[in-house]
């Protein structure tokens, strides 16, 4: 991505628009760069070949975009096959556009909450796609339902859609606010996420089954958690064994890592604030205490 920084900056200036850039390799396909216009009102496709220029521009979420804003974590995400660009905005709206010409493909509004009119939706999540090793193709993202009357009622869910934008499932409600985007295991059987208490004093790491209907485990720690990252199916997966706790030899299960959220006055992140998780080689979900 750094190699195209100079050209990218010049292209942004040529658009004469304020641009929110989600710097991810999923944006770039066949020398095209997909950008989200400020306030999530417009998607732009820019050609990065020898004759750079705008390929297409599209109004997002229809003429009545509602409260569509692009906040940290939101953006445009290229599907694994490169055929569509999926947009997500801060109010939980998701829409897909054909990558070649910007033609609208589908729209999806966030699922209903518990029926209370006092709840609003907020998300700082992006879109996470299943990998080619999953039995089915799908995408997930997180949203938080915020209660205008009582902040203590706020809760987070993970939403699962198929590649046509059809709702497949919604997870049980989880504590507090989500932190960034969830990640998906290489086989598609698990979804991992971090979320935080509303006062940011406690961070949670939760594991859901791939259908989102089962909560495998939740663990907490003092201090808020940053979003998770994942390394799929490491070839070696060695780490030093912890006597009586874990043996890391030949563990090829996905490795999930995250950190505590840095406080504004703390630079860099203090020691002891980085966490990792990996299923044991003999992990058996049927043995998990319900």
């Amino acid at each position: 991505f750094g190699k195209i920084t100079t050209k990218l900056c010049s292209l942004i200036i040529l658009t004469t628009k304020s641009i929110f850039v989600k710097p991810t390799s999923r944006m770039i396909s066949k020398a095209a760069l997909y950008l989200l216009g400020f306030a999530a009102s417009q998607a732009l496709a820019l050609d990065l070949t020898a004759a750079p220029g705008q390929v297409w521009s599209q109004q997002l979420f229809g003429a009545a975009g509602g409260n569509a804003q692009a906040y940290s974590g939101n953006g445009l995400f290229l599907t694994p096959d490169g055929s569509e660009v999926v947009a997500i905005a801060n109010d939980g709206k998701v829409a897909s556009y054909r990558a070649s010409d910007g033609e609208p493909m589908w729209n999806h509004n966030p699922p209903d909450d518990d029926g209370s009119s006092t709840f609003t939706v907020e998300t700082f999540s992006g879109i996470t796609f299943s990998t080619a090793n999953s039995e089915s193709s799908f995408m997930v993202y997180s949203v938080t339902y915020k209660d205008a009357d009582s902040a203590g009622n706020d809760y987070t869910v993970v939403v699962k859609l198929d590649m046509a934008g059809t709702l497949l499932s919604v997870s049980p409600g989880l504590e507090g606010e989500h932190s960034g985007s969830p990640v998906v295991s290489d086989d598609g059987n698990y979804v991992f996420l971090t979320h935080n208490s509303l006062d940011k004093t406690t961070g949670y790491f939760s594991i859901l089954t791939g259908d989102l209907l089962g909560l495998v485990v939740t663990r907490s720690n003092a201090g808020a958690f940053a979003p998770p990252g994942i390394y799929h199916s490491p070839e070696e997966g060695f780490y030093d064994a912890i006597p009586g706790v874990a043996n890391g030899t030949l563990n090829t299960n996905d490795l999930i890592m995250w950190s505590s959220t840095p406080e504004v006055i703390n630079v860099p992140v203090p020691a002891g604030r980085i966490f990792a998780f990996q299923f044991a080689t003999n992990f058996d979900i049927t043995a998990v205490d319900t």
Side-chain angles (χ1 to χ4, degrees), residues 36 39-43 56-69 76 85 87-89 91 93-97 102-109:
L36 187 64
S41 62
Q42 191 176 39
W56 55 261
S57 173
Q58 180 60 259
Q59 174 76 34
L60 293 179
F61 310 108
N67 188 36
Q69 302 287 325
L76 296 174
V85 179
I88 182 169
D91 61 356
K93 289 185 175 68
V94 179
S96 185
Y97 303 87
E103 180 71 18
M105 302 301 289
W106 52 262
N107 284 276
H108 179 80
N109 290 324

Side-chain angles (χ1 to χ4, degrees), residues 134-147:
S134 174
E135 291 185 359
S136 62
S137 297
F138 62 88
M139 65 190 82
V140 295
Y141 62 97
S142 297
V143 299
T144 294
Y145 291 98
K146 305 182 73 68
D147 190 344

Side-chain angles (χ1 to χ4, degrees), residues 160-228:
K160 181 178 181 179
L161 307 179
D162 67 15
M163 299 306 290
T166 301
L167 178 65
L168 296 177
S169 57
V170 180
S171 76
L174 301 169
E175 182 76 22
E177 297 178 332
H178 67 283
S179 180
S181 307
V183 294
V184 178
S185 64
D186 198 21
D187 59 12
N189 290 333
Y190 299 97
V191 175
F192 309 89
L193 72 151
T194 53
H195 47 111
N196 300 308
S197 61
L198 300 179
D199 60 6
K200 307 300 185 188
T201 60
T202 305
Y204 300 90
F205 171 71
S206 293
I207 305 173
L208 298 162
T209 53
D211 60 10
L212 302 186
L213 302 181
L215 177 61
V216 179
V217 69
T218 292
R219 292 290 183 265
S220 63
N221 196 76
F225 283 159

Side-chain angles (χ1 to χ4, degrees), residues 89-163:
N90 184 246
D91 61 356
K93 289 185 175 68
V94 179
S96 185
Y97 303 87
R98 193 159 55 206
S100 59
D101 59 8
E103 180 71 18
M105 302 301 289
W106 52 262
N107 284 276
H108 179 80
N109 290 324
D112 293 333
D113 53 42
D114 65 356
S116 171
S117 61
T118 63
F119 278 93
T120 59
V121 175
E122 184 175 70
T123 179
F124 298 97
S125 174
I127 300 293
T128 301
F129 300 100
S130 57
T131 74
N133 293 323
S134 174
E135 291 185 359
S136 62
S137 297
F138 62 88
M139 65 190 82
V140 295
Y141 62 97
S142 297
V143 299
T144 294
Y145 291 98
K146 305 182 73 68
D147 190 344
D149 291 345
S150 177
N153 293 331
D154 294 3
Y155 66 97
T156 285
V157 300
V158 179
V159 180
K160 181 178 181 179
L161 307 179
D162 67 15
M163 299 306 290

Side-chain angles (χ1 to χ4, degrees), residues 41-56:
S41 62
Q42 191 176 39
L44 306 176
L46 305 184
D47 187 354
L48 298 181
T49 60
Q54 181 172 306
V55 179
W56 55 261

